[in-house]
């Protein structure tokens, strides 16, 4: 909220400019990626990373309200299947079905979060886990539409071309817009109210914050974006199968958020980029590749308790300390 | 009359925490609520603010029945409260605690909030100004940029009061406002409560410490979930039944 | 009543009892860790899987007696429990997100290690007890009865341990009030390590037995973990009575529902039942009601 920003100390203004410059450089770099990497496989990985960044960022948005949505991967699947079925069987344009999928995911999210708002912490996490498993099984059991366990194939794509470059730019734009919207929510009073509920629902309700309203709002916004990500995935990837959305995917999304840094908006973005791309580099190791992921997990969680985003801060502190000790000599 | 409570009762399973309490609160007065530990005072507050629904009885605030309303609806009607334990948002700064407690007056709609429109910015600027004024009133201005969880106990309690004031209440419920404070902090708090009362806010406070009775207009004594006596602070101090309640069932060492 | 119906009923009851007792052993260990360290050990299913594979390896590859193999498995996994407490759980006391990350790391390593070293997907530990008990028309394998008896006697032992011994009392003290326990001079790290050893040993026992009762796969821990979580939320997390009661319910449903339904439908129905119950009792059946 505006006054919240004003309430911070004066050094934040200078930091803001550095941040803007850094983000500018990053976005320029992202724009040139298709020129650096000609290989379609590498571009494919970047496109998938963008999809998972939306999913992880929307998950973190829900988590700021103190709810751990363990059905999130199932909602990704819901978006993907809705968009796939609408564009393949109903014959809608993939561009339209993509957004309908987002709204369907949001609707289902709102529908379940009213009753689930009674549940706190661990109970919410577990019930949403069970709901996610059930949702995926429901999708699986609609065999005629979704192809059951084998999955759905030949989904209409967004672009009529074999090249991956248009997908990359389109998804980059969608990701940036989604992130900007999520960021606006986070820094506005709505985001602060979510954090307030997380810290104490008793105190926040005593000043007039409706716990149910804000918890439902968080889930609605988060599910909208994860549904959008699912639709993007479906209409890019051409095939879908339920195993891409099971509960282990949710757990990996939590890992993206936590390893990146739960307390920072850029946490899930960094976490997804690092944890999704680096293990792919080692995919030549075949069955030994999961050990690389596990090694990264252990390394980060033991060395950087608050996630990868705290590394620049730690480096700065180290640099300052070094400077002050060399001065004192 | 601002608040009228008729036959308020709460059962937890077989245990009756509050049974048939009738209390009338006049506009602008400071009402003290005392009683031994476990007498049902905190439950009484939780019932008024809708944290737990009553088993029986009616709560009428400004002529409107508010029984069974949700806590945030009751806050909107203008009943502020503090908590005995964990009265704040630990990971916000002191100032952020107060700012995020301004939810009702003024309130921006979500479109204004999302697009950061001039309306929203004007509201937030007003909120910042008001928050600083409240922090001045309770004497926390000097620590406004520090994290709430790092503050000493007395400051945290004062911050609880500041937060409750942010909803601009016409009725303020203070749950043990001076418990665990040192003498300096007690004087400050009593001063702040007096100033708040002079602004026309009706106050109900729960306390063990007899010192606070001095600022009360009227005192109600509760034991075993029932009202036993009601009267002026002087009468209460001399009442044999009160002395028995305190000395008989677990003499409280704090007073 | 037809003979086949009676056979079905008896077999189902025994199956329900065996499954329940094994689930309860696991859920009890999980509850210990939660109560004493505030840790949700999502790797508990993998510990169970490791226990099963050690027993299998000892009994078939090394070729020693199954019961000895069971004891070795329990000892090895128990020691691993001490390691886990010291290096994996203690640094992340009470931080649920980090615990999830660490547990996923552990699961990834252990499951993939087993999957690589055991290329055959499904294996079975040889039976612990041979023979069949015949009572009238009903015939039951002794193994089932023995497993159930082992489960129940272990449960009684653990409950006696918590309620009657000094260490058990210390555990309950730590669970109720950590700071108070420290002030009373209780060695919290020792108590935590003990809880971890007990939890892991129980998981290893259940795993070793189930390896013979059902079968072994590297992914057997995932399914059982879902069962444990179901029991926990149903019973109310942290409540031992809740674990006993909910374990019986989940085990029974797990034995009864597959008679009419497919495997996935059984899972879906169980989860639906649990979600509905939790919507009416948000703290589980035996959970403490938050009194604000």
């Amino acid at each position: 909220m505006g006054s919240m920003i004003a309430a911070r100390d004066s050094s934040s203004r200078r930091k803001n400019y550095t941040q803007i410059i850094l983000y500018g450089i990053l976005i320029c770099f992202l724009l040139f990626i298709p020129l650096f990497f000609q290989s379609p496989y590498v571009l494919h990985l970047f496109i998938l990373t963008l999809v998972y960044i939306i999913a992880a960022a929307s998950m973190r948005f829900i988590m700021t309200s103190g709810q751990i949505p363990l059905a999130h991967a199932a909602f990704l699947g819901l978006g993907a299947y809705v968009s796939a079925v609408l564009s393949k069987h109903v014959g809608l344009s993939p561009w339209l079905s993509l957004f309908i999928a987002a709204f369907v995911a949001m609707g289902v999210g709102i529908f379940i979060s009213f009753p689930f708002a009674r549940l706190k912490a661990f109970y919410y996490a577990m019930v949403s886990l069970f709901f996610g498993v059930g949702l995926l099984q429901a999708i699986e059991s609609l065999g005629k539409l979704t192809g059951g366990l084998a999955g759905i194939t030949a989904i209409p794509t967004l672009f009529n071309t074999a090249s991956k470059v248009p997908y990359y730019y389109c998804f980059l734009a969608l990701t940036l817009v989604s992130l900007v919207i999520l960021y606006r929510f986070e820094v506005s009073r709505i985001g602060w109210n979510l954090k307030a509920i997380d810290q104490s629902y008793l105190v926040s309700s005593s000043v007039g914050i409706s716990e149910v309203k804000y918890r439902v709002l968080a889930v609605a916004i988060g599910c909208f974006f994860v549904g959008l990500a699912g639709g993007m995935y479906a209409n890019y990837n051409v095939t879908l199968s339920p195993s891409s959305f099971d509960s282990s995917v949710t757990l990996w999304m939590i890992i993206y958020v936590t390893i990146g840094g739960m307390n920072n908006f850029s946490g899930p973005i960094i976490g997804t980029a690092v944890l999704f791309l680096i293990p792919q580099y080692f995919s030549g190791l075949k069955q030994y590749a999961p050990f690389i992921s596990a090694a990264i997990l252990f390394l980060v969680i033991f060395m950087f308790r608050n996630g990868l985003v705290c590394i620049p801060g730690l480096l700065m502190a180290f640099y300052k300390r070094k400077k002050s000790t060399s001065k004192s000599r | 009359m601002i608040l009228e409570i008729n036959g308020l009762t709460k059962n937890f399973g077989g245990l009756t925490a509050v049974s048939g309490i009738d209390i009338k609160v006049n506009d602008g007065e400071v009402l003290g609520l005392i009683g031994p530990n476990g007498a049902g005072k905190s439950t009484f507050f939780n019932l008024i603010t809708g944290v737990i629904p009553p088993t029986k009885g009616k709560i009428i605030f400004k002529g409107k029945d508010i029984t069974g309303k949700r806590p945030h609806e009751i806050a909107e009607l203008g009943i502020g409260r503090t908590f005995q334990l964990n009265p704040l948002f630990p990971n916000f700064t002191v100032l952020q605690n107060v700012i995020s407690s301004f939810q009702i007056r003024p309130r921006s709609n979500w479109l204004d909030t999302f697009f950061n429109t001039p309306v929203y910015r004007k509201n937030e600027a007003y909120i910042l100004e008001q928050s600083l004024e409240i922090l001045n009133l309770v004497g926390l201005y000097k620590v406004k940029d520090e994290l709430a969880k790092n503050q000493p106990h007395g400051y945290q309690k004062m911050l609880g009061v500041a937060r409750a004031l942010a909803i601009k209440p016409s009725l303020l419920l203070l749950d043990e406002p001076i418990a665990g404070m040192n003498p300096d902090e007690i004087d400050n708090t009593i001063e702040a409560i007096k100033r708040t009362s002079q602004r026309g806010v009706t106050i109900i406070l729960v306390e063990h410490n007899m010192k606070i009775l001095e600022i009360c207009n009227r005192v109600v004594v509760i034991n075993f979930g029932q009202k036993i006596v009601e009267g002026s602070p002087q009468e209460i101090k001399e009442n044999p039944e009160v002395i028995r309640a305190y000395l008989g069932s677990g003499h409280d060492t704090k007073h | 009543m037809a003979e086949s119906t009676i056979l079905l009923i008896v077999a189902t009851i025994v199956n329900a009892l065996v499954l329940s007792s094994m689930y309860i052993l696991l859920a009890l260990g999980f509850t210990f860790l939660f109560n004493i360290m505030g840790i949700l050990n999502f790797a508990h299913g993998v510990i169970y899987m490791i226990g099963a594979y050690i027993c299998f390896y000892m009994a078939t590859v090394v070729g020693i007696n199954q019961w000895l193999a069971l004891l070795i498995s329990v000892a090895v996994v128990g020691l691993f429990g001490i390691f886990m407490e010291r290096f994996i759980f203690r640094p992340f006391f009470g931080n649920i997100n980090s615990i999830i990350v660490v547990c996923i790391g552990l699961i990834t390593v252990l499951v993939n290690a087993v999957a690589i070293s055991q290329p055959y997907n499904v294996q079975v530990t040889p039976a612990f007890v041979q023979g069949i008990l015949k009572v009238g028309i009903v015939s039951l394998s002794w193994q089932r009865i023995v497993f159930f008896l082992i489960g129940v006697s272990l449960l009684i032992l653990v409950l006696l341990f918590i309620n009657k011994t000094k260490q058990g009392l210390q555990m309950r003290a730590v669970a109720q009030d950590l700071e108070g326990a420290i002030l009373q001079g209780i060695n919290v790290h020792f108590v935590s390590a003990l809880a971890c050893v007990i939890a892991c040993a129980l998981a290893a026992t259940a795993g070793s037995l189930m390896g013979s009762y059902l079968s072994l796969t590297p992914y057997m821990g995932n399914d059982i973990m879902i069962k444990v979580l179901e029991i926990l939320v149903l019973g109310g997390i942290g409540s031992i009575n809740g674990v006993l009661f909910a374990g019986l319910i989940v085990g029974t449903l797990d034995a009864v529902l597959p008679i009419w339904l497919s495997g996935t439908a059984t899972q879906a129905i169980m989860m639906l039942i649990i979600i509905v119950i939790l919507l009416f009792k948000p703290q589980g059946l035996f959970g403490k009601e938050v009194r604000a």
Side-chain angles (χ1 to χ4, degrees):
Chain A
M1 53 188 88
S3 49
M4 284 279 189
I5 293 165
R8 283 195 214 135
D9 54 345
S10 60
S11 71
S12 69
R13 188 156 292 251
R14 190 155 32 107
K15 215 169 138 196
N16 263 350
Y17 285 124
T18 345
Q19 258 178 4
I20 288 169
I21 293 169
L22 279 177
Y23 280 125
I25 294 171
L26 184 68
I27 288 171
C28 286
F29 173 71
L30 289 175
L31 284 176
F32 286 116
I33 274 186
L35 302 180
F36 298 149
F37 302 99
Q38 304 283 342
S39 141
Y41 178 66
V42 175
L43 214 52
H44 170 73
L45 291 182
F46 276 113
I47 290 169
L48 287 186
T49 311
L50 290 173
V51 171
Y52 282 111
I53 282 178
I54 301 183
S58 63
M59 184 179 213
R60 178 181 165 277
F61 186 78
I62 301 178
M63 284 164 80
T64 54
S65 69
Q67 311 178 84
I68 300 182
L70 292 184
H72 216 55
F75 274 99
L76 185 71
L78 179 67
Y81 271 99
V82 167
S83 184
V85 167
L86 285 181
S87 56
K88 188 182 176 187
H89 295 299
V90 183
L92 291 180
S93 148
W95 291 100
L96 187 61
S97 70
L98 186 72
F99 286 95
I100 294 178
F103 281 107
V104 169
M106 181 162 106
V108 175
I110 292 173
F111 180 73
I112 62 155
S113 60
F114 273 107
F116 285 11
R118 282 168 61 86
L119 303 164
K120 305 263 183 280
F122 177 72
Y123 293 94
Y124 179 87
M126 287 305 122
V127 166
S128 63
L129 173 73
F130 298 156
F131 177 79
V133 175
L135 183 63
L136 212 58
Q137 262 154 14
I139 289 174
E140 223 176 277
S141 64
L142 294 171
K144 279 220 177 88
L145 282 175
T146 63
L149 256 181
I152 191 166
T153 52
I155 303 164
T157 53
L158 290 168
F159 298 102
N160 272 329
T161 154
S163 163
K164 295 196 184 292
V165 177
Y167 285 101
Y168 177 77
Y169 283 115
C170 167
F171 281 17
L172 184 63
L174 279 174
T175 308
L176 287 178
V177 169
S178 307
L179 289 179
V180 166
I181 293 175
L182 283 175
Y183 184 74
R184 282 299 316 153
F185 274 116
E186 166 138 356
V187 295
S188 76
R189 185 165 273 274
I190 293 169
W192 286 89
N193 285 354
L194 295 179
K195 287 175 191 164
I197 289 171
D198 175 32
Q199 291 172 61
S200 169
Y201 68 96
L202 270 181
V203 173
S204 50
S205 67
S206 84
V207 293
I209 303 175
S210 162
E211 188 199 355
V212 174
K213 179 180 146 192
Y214 278 96
R215 282 179 66 173
V216 172
L217 186 73
V219 174
I221 295 168
C223 285
F224 176 85
F225 284 109
V226 85
L228 183 73
M232 286 157 65
Y233 179 82
N235 296 104
Y236 160 71
N237 205 37
V238 187
T239 62
L240 288 179
S241 75
S243 64
S244 325
F245 309 109
D246 64 17
S247 46
S248 67
V249 178
T250 307
L251 293 177
W252 275 100
M253 276 153 66
I254 288 206
I255 288 174
Y256 295 157
V257 174
T258 312
I259 290 292
M262 173 60 211
N263 297 325
N264 197 300
F265 184 80
S266 40
I269 305 169
I270 296 172
T272 310
V274 169
L275 276 170
F276 189 77
L277 288 178
I278 291 184
Q280 298 291 344
Y281 182 78
F282 294 97
S283 58
L285 296 173
K286 298 247 163 58
Q287 76 263 44
Y288 296 98
F291 293 112
I292 300 288
S293 312
I296 298 174
L297 286 191
F298 281 121
L299 199 70
V300 173
I301 203 74
F302 278 100
M303 287 183 67
F304 311 107
R305 197 60 62 81
N306 292 319
L308 288 167
V309 284
C310 72
I311 291 179
L314 288 176
L315 283 176
M316 283 285 271
F318 181 71
Y319 175 73
K320 265 184 196 157
R321 206 170 52 215
K322 221 173 175 187
K323 217 161 80 176
S324 66
T325 49
S326 65
K327 244 182 217 168
S328 63
R329 258 179 229 154
Chain B
M1 200 183 310
I2 188 161
L3 185 74
E4 191 180 342
I5 291 163
N6 293 326
L8 194 65
T9 303
K10 177 70 194 176
N11 298 321
F12 287 115
L15 178 84
T16 306
V18 172
S19 75
I21 289 190
D22 299 302
I23 290 178
K24 289 184 172 61
V25 186
N26 300 320
D27 238 329
E29 77 173 337
V30 180
L31 177 73
L33 206 61
I34 64 168
N37 280 328
K41 295 164 302 191
S42 289
T43 309
F44 181 69
F45 271 15
N46 285 338
L47 288 171
I48 297 178
T49 52
V51 175
I52 44 180
T55 315
K56 249 185 7 221
K58 265 209 163 83
I59 305 162
I60 294 157
F61 176 66
K62 288 183 175 168
K64 240 167 92 182
D65 189 355
I66 60 163
T67 323
K69 278 205 180 346
R70 308 279 306 140
H72 65 94
E73 294 168 333
I74 286 171
E76 267 177 52
L77 292 171
I79 301 182
R81 73 168 294 186
T82 66
F83 294 86
Q84 205 175 327
L85 298 167
N86 308 323
L88 37 73
F89 304 125
N91 297 325
F92 284 174
T93 67
V94 169
L95 180 57
Q96 282 169 347
N97 258 282
V98 183
I99 289 176
S100 51
S101 301
F102 273 94
Q103 294 291 336
I104 300 153
R105 284 163 283 264
R107 169 179 279 172
S108 321
N109 69 32
W110 70 270
L111 274 174
D112 281 334
T113 308
F114 180 75
F115 289 108
N116 199 13
T117 57
V119 179
Y120 173 73
R121 278 192 298 230
K122 206 181 110 213
N123 282 343
E124 292 296 324
Y126 172 76
I127 286 172
L128 178 62
E129 184 192 312
Q130 290 279 304
S131 304
L132 293 173
E133 196 191 317
I134 287 177
L135 285 179
N136 253 329
L137 178 80
V138 299
L140 289 175
Y141 189 86
K142 52 188 181 293
V143 292
K144 67 181 166 61
D145 288 327
E146 287 173 35
L147 277 186
K149 66 179 170 196
N150 297 339
Q151 298 308 306
H153 178 78
Y155 282 11
Q156 294 199 0
K157 288 232 138 155
M158 282 317 297
L159 184 53
V161 178
R163 272 192 31 260
L165 287 175
I167 71 166
K168 303 197 173 160
S170 44
L171 174 65
L172 186 58
L173 311 176
L174 301 176
D175 200 345
E176 306 208 357
I178 60 172
M181 285 187 172
N182 65 33
D184 270 356
E185 290 169 343
I186 289 179
D187 289 343
N188 280 340
T189 310
I190 288 180
E191 200 52 43
I193 293 174
K194 271 187 194 158
R195 262 179 284 164
T196 312
S197 167
Q198 278 157 12
R199 287 167 152 202
V201 179
T202 312
I203 295 173
I204 306 179
L205 49 86
V206 157
E207 198 38 87
H208 285 295
N209 193 322
M210 287 292 184
K211 194 168 179 188
I212 209 146
L213 292 186
E214 289 158 17
I215 58 168
C216 295
N217 305 102
R218 213 149 53 90
V219 176
V220 172
V221 185
I222 294 183
N223 199 10
F224 297 116
Q226 280 170 326
K227 187 163 95 173
I228 51 176
V229 206
E230 183 177 342
S232 73
Q234 202 52 40
E235 287 165 17
I236 294 298
K237 271 185 192 167
E238 289 157 8
N239 188 306
E241 228 177 315
V242 177
I243 296 169
R244 184 150 26 88
Y246 267 77
L247 293 177
S249 60
H251 176 57
D252 199 271
T253 49
K254 275 182 213 154
H255 45 107
Chain C
M1 211 187 300
E3 202 172 292
S4 62
T5 323
I6 296 174
L7 286 178
L8 183 68
I9 291 173
V10 173
T12 309
I13 291 174
V14 174
N15 193 18
L17 289 176
V18 175
L19 286 178
S20 303
S21 58
M22 294 299 139
Y23 290 166
I24 291 172
L25 285 185
L26 280 163
L28 204 60
F30 193 101
T31 305
F32 264 28
L33 294 180
F34 176 77
N35 281 354
I36 288 163
M37 291 193 283
I39 294 253
L40 296 166
N41 178 18
F42 292 104
H44 212 63
V46 173
I47 304 292
Y48 158 90
M49 182 270 290
I50 292 289
Y53 267 97
I54 292 177
C55 180
F56 166 78
Y57 185 83
M58 285 293 159
T60 57
V61 182
V62 178
I64 56 176
N65 180 285
Q66 285 98 326
W67 295 103
L68 201 59
L70 171 71
L71 287 182
I72 292 176
S73 159
V74 167
V76 171
V77 174
L79 283 177
F80 186 68
I82 296 180
F83 166 82
M84 287 217 302
E85 192 275 331
R86 177 65 192 84
F87 293 104
I88 296 184
F89 294 153
R90 210 187 285 175
F92 301 105
F93 193 87
N95 183 345
I96 182 167
N97 281 350
S98 300
I99 289 291
I100 290 180
V101 172
V102 174
C103 288
I104 299 286
L106 207 61
I107 291 171
T108 312
V109 170
L110 293 178
V111 168
N112 284 294
V114 171
I116 289 168
S117 64
Q118 303 288 327
Y120 313 104
N121 250 333
V122 179
Q123 287 153 320
V124 182
T125 311
F128 281 78
V129 187
Q130 307 286 345
I132 285 170
L133 172 70
K134 278 201 179 228
V135 184
I137 52 163
V138 181
S139 56
L140 289 167
S141 77
W142 268 109
Q143 168 145 315
R144 291 188 172 199
I145 298 165
V146 170
F147 281 6
F148 172 65
L149 291 178
I150 293 177
V152 170
S153 44
L154 275 177
L155 272 181
I156 293 171
L157 272 179
V158 168
L159 293 180
L160 280 179
F161 174 79
I162 316 174
N163 290 315
K164 300 287 176 200
T165 65
K166 191 180 156 204
Q167 278 77 19
L169 200 66
Q170 289 185 343
M171 276 188 179
R172 285 191 295 160
V174 173
Q176 272 178 22
D177 183 358
L178 180 66
E179 278 176 34
I182 293 172
L183 289 175
Q184 290 294 321
I186 294 175
N187 183 346
V188 175
H189 292 322
F190 173 74
V191 171
S192 306
L194 193 63
C196 227
V197 169
I198 293 177
C200 287
L202 290 179
T205 315
S208 306
L209 298 182
M210 290 292 261
S212 171
Y213 188 69
L214 301 174
S215 62
L216 295 146
T217 72
Y219 310 101
M220 65 197 277
N222 300 354
D223 301 336
I224 206 96
M225 200 58 224
I226 295 280
K227 297 284 163 221
V228 170
L229 292 175
E230 284 175 354
I231 291 169
L232 285 167
V233 289
L234 190 57
I237 184 156
S239 155
I240 287 178
N241 290 339
V243 164
L244 300 179
F245 187 72
L248 220 52
I249 292 181
V250 172
T252 308
L253 285 177
D254 231 18
V256 172
L257 288 180
I259 297 174
W260 302 288
L261 299 168
S262 73
T264 47
T266 305
Q267 295 310 316
I269 299 271
M270 298 246 300
M271 286 173 181
L272 193 70
I273 293 172
I274 289 167
I275 289 176
V276 170
I277 291 178
L278 275 178
L279 291 182
F280 289 100
K281 294 271 298 179
Q283 306 288 325
L285 293 172
F286 286 78
K288 289 174 209 117
E289 198 180 331
V290 178
R291 233 200 241 178

